[in-house]
Amino acid sequence: MSAIEEHAPASILDQDLYKFCMQQAVLQHYPDIDAEYRFVNRDPSILFNREAFEWLLEQISSMAELRATSNDLEYLRSACPYFSAEYIAFLSEFQYNPSAEVTCSLDEDLGLLSLHVSGNWTCIILYEVPLLAMIAEAHYRFVDVDWSYEGQRAKIAAKGKMLARAGCRFAEFGTRRRRSFKTQDIVMSELSQIRSSGGGIAGTSNVYLARKYGVPPVGTIGHEWIMGIAALENTYKDADRLALLKWQQTYSGRLAVALADTFGTRVFFASFDRELAGTYNSVRHDSGDPLAFAQAVCEHYRGLGIDLSTKCILFSDSLTPEIAIGIKNQCDSYGIGCSFGIGTNFTNDFNLASNPALAGTALNIVIKLFRCGGRPCVKLSDDKTKYTGDVDEVARAQSELAQFYQQ
């Protein structure tokens, strides 16, 4: 059994795979575009103090020292054959420049953290996940400290076994909101043991931990790819289609999971025609009612004359083992495949140390693409609480897409 690491490794691979995948696509299609990302704290009760802020600044500054090693690059060539030689060469020279690209400040009176990332889109796209992990760890090191690791191994083992017994195929997606790297390492240690005995874990989004535990790194596409294309091509109605076509140009049928909710599933289905539905093996649900989504996907495939048994739905929104099993039962009744990406429930499910009967609070934080090529970027989603972006631009997007929302 691999030893649990107390601290996050100084490795560029402590990152979710989908960020590397999108970096390659941006490098191919939009190499000279500037962009801006902004931190959003969806829970105003989550605050930060001076100690957390200063620790966070140290971690951000240390990112300048990260480089892909020869072993890292060789692992990516082997585990991710869809990465081109050109991209591997780019990554071999890549380095973060946080002093020029990251701006972070703290309103000490209110305890509010502000963070912006700006620069060339290809160069700054990798910041999101490690920054979110650092922000979360800063909060749990210095603000919310009423917790311990006691019982974590048993808790994750029980979850993994429950999912495996139910026949669920699932992956660990917890990097961005993990309580600490140690937490995620414990999670993968337990889940990999279940996998070795025939359990259903398909892999992890974290590339470093995938290599450590000998499981596949998994991940494909995020909302920012579609949001950026909507801004750069000046269209919301056709953004899903353009994003899927450009993704196909980069990956030629590999990583064929279509994200459905960037501007709402009705908008997505209007673009997801017979050609695209045949090309993409799966669709991903990330907001709204998962059971209603599963039904809508099946109806869409049936309308296109596509055999449901040849397709899969990936669910990744606020999942627990119990929710995943309920979704699987419905998908089984429809005759369509399903898989699950479980994040926060795996890597940030703690009870209070002072009162173990009470659950701790998990962060609800994101870093979203705010501007691309000088134009504002927005996300509408199937959940209004997840709308992000400039208020006026959100209104413009809603106006352009009004015909879909009125159906």
Side-chain angles (χ1 to χ4, degrees):
M1 182 187 300
S2 298
I4 299 299
E5 298 171 57
E6 292 292 326
H7 306 290
S11 171
I12 200 169
L13 297 189
D14 184 22
Q15 170 73 270
D16 280 348
L17 177 67
Y18 86 115
K19 299 300 294 190
F20 292 120
C21 297
M22 288 191 294
Q23 186 180 47
Q24 176 170 248
V26 172
L27 180 65
Q28 177 180 343
H29 296 282
Y30 300 106
D32 301 317
I33 295 297
D34 284 342
E36 177 186 351
Y37 291 78
R38 292 189 182 183
F39 170 70
V40 178
N41 185 351
R42 291 170 172 164
D43 183 351
S45 70
I46 299 298
L47 305 177
F48 295 83
N49 58 26
R50 171 56 58 176
E51 292 80 6
F53 178 66
E54 290 180 350
W55 181 87
L56 176 61
L57 291 182
E58 291 177 4
Q59 307 311 304
I60 293 172
S61 178
S62 71
M63 295 181 76
E65 302 170 9
L66 296 178
R67 302 288 191 280
T69 68
S70 58
N71 287 338
D72 294 339
L73 297 172
E74 184 55 39
Y75 172 75
L76 291 175
R77 289 189 190 97
S78 173
C80 309
Y82 38 79
F83 287 151
S84 67
E86 292 78 11
Y87 175 63
I88 294 295
F90 169 84
L91 201 59
S92 71
E93 300 294 330
F94 173 82
Q95 63 185 91
Y96 294 102
N97 186 8
S99 62
E101 295 164 341
V102 182
T103 303
C104 189
S105 62
L106 175 70
D107 184 326
E108 285 194 74
D109 293 333
L110 298 178
L112 299 179
L113 182 72
S114 174
L115 185 144
H116 295 184
V117 182
S118 59
N120 176 271
W121 194 13
T122 308
C123 295
I124 66 171
I125 196 169
L126 294 188
Y127 274 108
E128 175 196 0
V129 171
L131 285 179
L132 286 171
M134 291 171 188
I135 291 168
E137 185 161 353
H139 178 78
Y140 292 112
R141 274 176 174 259
F142 301 101
V143 183
D144 181 354
V145 297
D146 187 10
W147 60 279
S148 76
Y149 290 105
E150 185 176 353
Q152 281 299 299
R153 281 191 174 277
K155 183 180 287 188
I156 189 61
K159 291 176 180 180
K161 290 174 183 176
M162 180 187 299
L163 289 161
R165 283 195 301 269
C168 291
R169 181 175 173 80
F170 64 95
E172 185 277 317
F173 273 20
T175 306
R176 65 183 53 235
R177 292 174 187 164
R178 67 193 184 197
R179 192 154 292 212
S180 63
F181 177 83
K182 180 179 178 179
T183 304
Q184 192 176 17
D185 201 1
I186 291 171
V187 167
M188 282 308 304
S189 174
E190 292 298 319
L191 294 180
S192 64
Q193 292 180 61
I194 295 170
R195 185 175 191 266
S196 66
S197 61
I201 181 171
T204 173
S205 61
N206 187 289
V207 182
Y208 179 90
L209 290 172
R211 179 173 63 178
K212 178 175 181 177
Y213 289 103
V215 302
V218 296
T220 55
I221 191 171
H223 297 99
E224 67 200 272
W225 174 245
I226 305 164
M227 293 165 64
I229 287 175
L232 294 171
E233 306 297 342
N234 194 25
T235 177
Y236 292 106
K237 183 171 67 69
D238 296 323
D240 284 308
R241 178 173 179 79
L242 289 173
L244 292 173
L245 289 172
K246 289 178 181 293
W247 192 260
Q248 168 68 7
Q249 290 169 16
T250 300
Y251 289 106
S252 303
R254 294 169 293 188
L255 306 181
V257 180
L259 181 56
D261 71 327
T262 307
F263 303 116
T265 52
R266 288 180 177 177
V267 179
F268 169 80
F269 285 136
S271 293
F272 201 54
D273 57 19
R274 184 66 174 79
E275 177 187 0
L276 287 174
T279 299
Y280 281 80
N281 302 325
S282 305
V283 293
R284 179 158 76 92
H285 168 270
D286 199 51
S287 65
D289 183 339
L291 300 181
F293 180 80
Q295 181 178 359
V297 169
C298 291
E299 290 175 353
H300 188 73
Y301 279 140
R302 290 191 192 103
L304 296 174
I306 291 175
D307 182 355
L308 296 183
S309 67
T310 66
K311 298 298 178 181
C312 180
I313 306 175
L314 169 59
F315 296 88
S316 60
D317 180 35
S318 304
L319 294 175
T320 65
E322 294 82 2
I323 291 173
I325 291 168
I327 294 170
K328 181 183 184 299
N329 290 338
Q330 176 157 321
C331 288
D332 286 350
S333 72
Y334 292 149
I336 193 169
C338 63
S339 60
F340 305 92
I342 303 179
T344 304
N345 184 260
F346 277 171
T347 62
N348 204 339
D349 181 17
F350 284 75
N351 293 82
L352 303 185
S354 61
N355 186 352
L358 296 179
T361 301
L363 300 190
N364 190 357
I365 56 176
V366 295
I367 293 175
K368 288 296 182 184
L369 187 62
F370 186 78
R371 194 173 297 276
C372 198
R375 296 183 60 87
C377 298
V378 302
K379 176 190 171 201
L380 299 187
S381 179
D382 284 328
D383 178 351
K384 289 186 178 181
T385 66
K386 292 187 173 183
Y387 282 17
T388 59
D390 177 79
V391 174
D392 291 337
E393 189 64 18
V394 167
R396 190 177 83 81
Q398 288 176 311
S399 177
E400 181 179 330
L401 301 172
Q403 68 186 90
F404 300 100
Y405 295 111
Q406 293 169 358
Q407 295 174 4

